[in-house]
Structures are given as structure tokens and as C-alpha cells.
Amino acid sequence: MIDWGRTCLITVTMLGGLLTLASLLIWVERRLLGIWQERCGPNRVGPGGILQPLADMIKMFTKEDWIPPFADKVVFVLTPAIVVVTTLMTFAVVPIAPGFIVADVNVGILFFLAMSSLAAYSVIVGGWASNSKFAFLGSLRATAQLISYEVFMGLSLMGTVALAGSFSLTDIVEAQRGLWFIVPQFLGFIIFFIAGLAETHRAPFDVPEAEAELVAGYHAEYSGMKFGMFFVGEYLSITLLSAMIVILFFGGWHGPVLPPVLWFLLKTSVFIALIILIRGTWPRLRFDQFLSFSWKVLIPLALINLVVTGGIVLARNG
Amino acid sequence: MIVFAYTRDLLLGLWIVFKRTFTKPVTVQYPEERPYLPPRWRGRIVLTRDPDGEERCVACHLCAAVCPVDCIALQAAEDPTSYDRRYPEFFRINFSRCIYCGYCEEACPTYAIQLVPDFEQSEYARRNMVYEKEDLLISGTGKYPDYNFYRVAGVKIRDKDKGGAENERPPVDVKSLMP
Ligand code: SF4
Ligand code: SF4
């Protein structure tokens, strides 16, 4: 049966850890981008600037929390919570180490896909409720992106599911004890990575919030802590994306010498850094380019990957 | 295969940016480290004095006329104790409008107005950006230590008659000029 005390402990640890991590990532991203652009980044508040998120938070809390008079008030206020809540809920099925998981459901991948689709609503609805043209354009673009990446995101994971023979994330990690799925599922990894970047609205797929053309896109009208929620949500989804990549393709907690938790955190940090590096390097795609790329290239590739993997699994099981 | 070319370029880009991890940032940590400012840097404006310690400015209004943003205001006056020596009664520069173009320095015939290497002019109140003559006038000669307008130009002042300047001969008395 469910051990309530243990579950509560894990939940609290995860929540505390994740929220700290998300706010720390604000500093980490700015610092790393600075280093990669031959600057310093924020280095004034606290040792090495590590207290910068705290200063940012004080600033956000003391700012005027403005709700535009032309916005749809209720939806406008509720939206920022959606992205944070759904992302945090997805972490419930993320196995960090053997037994260190809030809810070991047997359809973990489906839960993850469902929650990530829900998180996309915050972008669409938030932009729509703002009732201004930039926010509206942002959510239009988000919708256009959504109908492409959601398709191949699910498809790219099915190869992994076929190999592991289970939808449960714990089983998938266990199935990678010998060989990480990055080797047999390299194509699936690339496609999932692209889909994940599009889902977190990170460069080079950050068209919904493209600062250069749309001010801030879907969250242009948000201020104060509501804007902060979108921010925290973005960093949470980066963490989630990295964690999912590690679980699905890089063997989760498996690794020599170090304890499983450390391995998991290490691999996740590498991918977080990679996502930040990509933001610092690659230019943004136009969203019609992304649409045609995903429908004409990625979806066929994902289908081929699924069919080939399915055939191999079938042949092996005879 | 164009796909491979694209992929190679994308990865190459990532690698080039990643290599920056090991280079030193170009940032100058400003309040602690200070950038080197060359002597001819166009910064805060000063009014200088000639080697005798008198104000150099003769209130000719040339700087005010040339200033593209019209931020110099001055009023000419004559000093009764030194004959026709002119000086500005007030001299005001609005630094919130100045664009530090240096035209005033170029236009000035007496080297009175000079731009010096100093950019730390932040103020909390906007009216503090307006500098009066007391704020502008310094006790030294600035960039041209030997130049003294009245010792070069032919104008008559208290202790120098016409023709008494350097490289000048006394004026010819036309009435004594005999054929
Ligand atoms: S530097 Fe240019 S803008 Fe400033 S006072 Fe002189 S002429 Fe005017
Ligand atoms: S500062 Fe120079 S240009 Fe300006 S009024 Fe005085 S003498 Fe003339």
C-alpha cells in the first residue's frame, strides 16, 4: 500500500528542491550566457551573484501588479498558475533514484505527455486573455507550434516504449541497465529533443515570446509576480525536459561509482547547460519554417523510427 | 548532402560558443577597475584660466552659437577695472542636453572651454545637471598651459597697450608718415 509518510517526505523534498532549482536557474542561465558571450553576467549580489534571484524576487514583489483593464480578468489571473502547476505535477512521475518517486504510475509517459499539453494552454489562454495584439500574436504562434510538435513528441517516445515494453518511467530506466536508449533510439532522441525545446518555448523555437519582434509575446501584458510565475514555469519545464531526456535516453540514475541521485542530477545539469548553450548560439526559426520542418521532416522520421523499432522488437521476440 | 552540412554548421556553432567558457570576459568591473581614458577624451566641460590666473573666456558666444543642442547659455559683461576685458557674467551648461560633441571646444578662440576625461556626472535630481560658472571654472590652464589670448591678440587691456602683444610691433603712427 501507499506509505503516506514516505510519499509526503519525497513530495516536500521535490517541491522544495525544484522551486529552489528553478530560481537558481535564473542566475545560472544569465551567468552561463554571460560566460559564453565573454561577459560576466550578474556577479554583484552575494558571492558570485548567487543571490541575484532573491533580488529579482524582491523587485518583482514590490512592483505594481498591473492587470490591464482590457484583459479578461479571471482567466488572466489564473493562467500563470497553470504552467507552474502542470509542470510541478509532471515531476510526480519522474523517478530520480530507485524508489525516490512521488507516484510510480504505470503510464508515466502518457501522464507526462498529457501534462505538457495542458501546460501549453497557459501560453495560448494567457495570450488570448491579455487582449492585446502582441500577446495575441504570441498565442497564435504558440498554437501553430503546438499542432506540430505535440504530434511527433508522442511519436518519438513510442520507440523507447516499444524497446522497454512499458509506459512506466521506472521500467524504462530499469530497461537501460545494460545499454542506454540513446544508442538504439538516436533518431528518437533528436526528435524528442527538438519537440521538447519547442514545448518549453526555448530558442531556437521561442517564436511565441520572440523578444525581438513580439516584445515578450504571450506574457507581454504580465507584470510583477504573475510574470515571475511564467518565468519559474519556464525554468521548471527546462528542468523537466532535461530530466525526461535523461530518463528516457540516458539511463536515468544508472552510472558507475557515484550514488544514483548524483548521477541523475549530474546528467540533468548537463542537459540544462546544453539547452542554455543552444539559446546562446542558434538563431530563432520563423514559425512557418518550424511548421514545415516538423510536418515534412520530423513526423515522417518519427514514424519511420517507430516502424523500424517495432519491426526489430517484433523480430527479436520472435 | 545539405542536411549534413547544416548539422555540421549547427554543431560547429555550439562548439565555438562553448569554447568561450575558457576565455576571459572582456568586461571592465567598473567601480573597482577603471577604464583608461585618453587625454583628449570628450567628457565633462570646464572653463579654464590663462597662465596669469585670469578667466580665459571672453564671452564671444561662439560656443553657444555652435552648440548643436543649444545647451550653453551665457551673458557677456565688461570688467570696469581692466578696461575692455570682457568676461561672462554667468555661464551655464545644461549637461542633461549636452551630447559631448566637442564643437564648443573647437569653436572657442581662447581655449577657455575644454572637455576633460571625466564621465562620472550622474545626479539624482535633474536640475543638478545644470552647471553654473562656479561649477565650471577651474583654477588651472587645462590642456594648453602656455596660451594666453590677450598676450597674442591685439586688443588693448589694462596692462598691455595696442601692439604690445607677442610677435607684434607698435602700431604705425599714420600722421608721422612722411613721403
Ligand atoms: S560638447 Fe557639444 S553639445 Fe556639449 S556644450 Fe559643447 S557644443 Fe554643446
Ligand atoms: S567659452 Fe570660448 S567660445 Fe565660449 S564664449 Fe567663452 S571665449 Fe567664446
Side-chain angles (χ1 to χ4, degrees):
Chain A
M1 273 290 43
I2 302 174
D3 180 351
W4 285 110
R6 188 180 152 75
T7 311
C8 280
L9 195 68
I10 293 175
T11 315
V12 170
T13 322
M14 289 267 272
L15 258 183
L18 280 173
L19 290 178
T20 320
L21 191 71
S23 50
L24 209 62
L25 271 182
I26 298 174
W27 170 73
V28 169
E29 162 153 49
R30 290 173 60 186
R31 222 32 228 272
L32 281 181
L33 281 179
I35 287 170
W36 286 325
Q37 295 170 354
E38 299 194 349
R39 301 183 279 118
C40 295
N43 60 354
R44 293 277 152 179
V45 199
I50 198 160
L51 295 182
Q52 184 68 34
L54 203 70
D56 282 349
M57 215 155 72
I58 293 173
K59 186 189 89 175
M60 272 181 190
F61 271 120
T62 48
K63 268 193 160 181
E64 183 189 357
D65 200 354
W66 191 64
I67 298 175
F70 43 81
D72 186 341
K73 303 254 162 16
V74 181
V75 188
F76 186 84
V77 173
L78 281 181
T79 315
I82 298 179
V83 58
V84 176
V85 168
T86 50
T87 318
L88 279 178
M89 272 168 77
T90 322
F91 273 103
V93 298
V94 170
I96 290 180
F100 195 90
I101 179 171
V102 178
D104 194 0
V105 290
N106 55 4
V107 287
I109 285 192
L110 294 186
F111 186 78
F112 160 70
L113 288 175
M115 279 302 156
S116 69
S117 311
L118 275 184
Y121 277 109
S122 75
V123 176
I124 298 169
V125 174
W128 201 284
S130 300
N131 223 346
S132 83
K133 54 179 173 293
F134 290 123
F136 177 65
L137 280 174
S139 35
L140 272 188
R141 291 179 178 193
T143 320
Q145 242 186 29
L146 179 80
I147 57 165
S148 45
Y149 73 71
E150 284 289 350
V151 184
F152 59 82
M153 183 178 218
L155 283 177
S156 65
L157 292 184
M158 289 311 124
T160 316
V161 173
L163 279 181
S166 167
F167 275 107
S168 155
L169 291 173
T170 320
D171 290 351
I172 290 177
V173 176
E174 280 304 333
Q176 297 177 68
R177 191 173 284 281
L179 181 67
W180 291 356
F181 281 164
I182 174 73
V183 183
Q185 281 296 311
F186 185 70
L187 208 57
F189 161 67
I190 297 290
I191 298 170
F192 178 71
F193 193 45
I194 293 174
L197 281 180
E199 201 235 288
T200 49
H201 308 298
R202 294 288 298 186
F205 306 120
D206 55 349
V207 277
E209 50 174 291
E211 302 91 345
E213 347 160 354
L214 288 188
V215 195
Y218 61 90
H219 57 58
E221 300 296 337
Y222 284 89
S223 58
M225 212 44 218
K226 290 208 271 310
F227 168 75
M229 289 291 254
F230 273 121
F231 229 65
V232 169
E234 175 169 339
Y235 286 106
L236 280 178
S237 20
I238 293 172
T239 318
L240 178 65
L241 172 63
S242 310
M244 286 314 276
I245 290 173
V246 168
I247 289 167
L248 294 168
F249 298 101
F250 284 84
W253 62 74
H254 290 310
V257 190
L258 295 176
V261 179
L262 265 188
W263 265 115
F264 184 83
L265 292 181
L266 201 70
K267 291 178 191 172
T268 311
S269 327
V270 169
F271 277 98
I272 293 176
L274 178 67
I275 293 172
I276 295 173
L277 177 64
I278 285 177
R279 177 176 173 200
T281 311
W282 291 349
R284 183 184 303 128
L285 259 73
R286 262 194 348 249
F287 83 98
D288 61 312
Q289 287 170 333
F290 178 64
L291 273 181
S292 58
F293 179 60
S294 46
W295 281 101
K296 290 178 192 160
V297 180
L298 290 179
I299 291 178
L301 273 184
L303 282 173
I304 292 170
N305 179 44
L306 176 58
V307 170
V308 171
T309 316
I312 290 172
V313 169
L314 200 63
R316 216 173 41 188
N317 295 354
Chain B
M1 278 290 282
I2 196 146
V3 178
F4 289 117
Y6 280 155
T7 315
R8 194 201 57 213
D9 290 353
L10 283 176
L11 295 180
L12 194 65
L14 278 186
W15 172 242
I16 288 172
V17 174
F18 181 72
K19 272 197 299 193
R20 293 291 176 276
T21 319
F22 308 105
T23 54
K24 246 174 82 68
V26 294
T27 318
V28 177
Q29 293 293 328
Y30 162 58
E32 293 93 34
E33 294 170 41
R34 274 154 198 277
Y36 167 72
L37 299 182
R40 292 205 289 178
W41 166 278
R42 301 198 308 266
R44 181 166 58 88
I45 297 175
V46 292
L47 284 178
T48 57
R49 291 173 187 274
D50 59 23
D52 303 339
E54 303 273 359
E55 282 174 37
R56 264 177 176 161
C57 178
V58 293
C60 67
H61 287 88
L62 282 178
C63 52
V66 79
C67 179
V69 292
D70 273 348
C71 67
I72 302 180
L74 70 153
Q75 166 79 58
E78 267 179 20
D79 184 355
T81 60
S82 58
Y83 301 90
D84 297 333
R85 187 157 180 155
R86 277 157 58 99
Y87 73 99
E89 198 171 16
F90 66 79
F91 196 107
R92 194 174 290 145
I93 299 183
N94 184 351
F95 279 107
S96 60
R97 284 171 74 178
C98 176
I99 55 173
Y100 301 97
C101 61
Y103 285 4
C104 47
E105 182 174 3
E106 280 180 41
C108 181
T110 66
Y111 289 149
I113 193 163
Q114 293 178 10
L115 280 78
V116 295
D118 172 21
F119 57 86
E120 291 164 325
Q121 285 186 287
S122 321
E123 294 285 354
Y124 285 105
R126 197 170 295 180
R127 65 174 178 281
N128 293 347
M129 297 292 286
V130 179
Y131 282 39
E132 293 295 339
K133 192 170 152 189
E134 308 87 83
D135 312 317
L136 295 166
L137 204 60
I138 61 169
S139 54
T141 54
K143 290 181 240 178
Y144 305 94
D146 302 323
Y147 185 74
N148 191 335
F149 176 71
Y150 283 106
R151 304 281 159 227
V152 180
V155 198
K156 169 181 153 69
I157 51 165
R158 179 179 41 197
D159 52 353
K160 186 206 75 178
D161 213 344
K162 253 190 143 92
E166 292 162 25
N167 305 325
E168 233 185 3
R169 274 172 298 170
V172 178
D173 183 1
V174 279
K175 294 195 178 109
S176 74
L177 198 62
M178 303 304 279

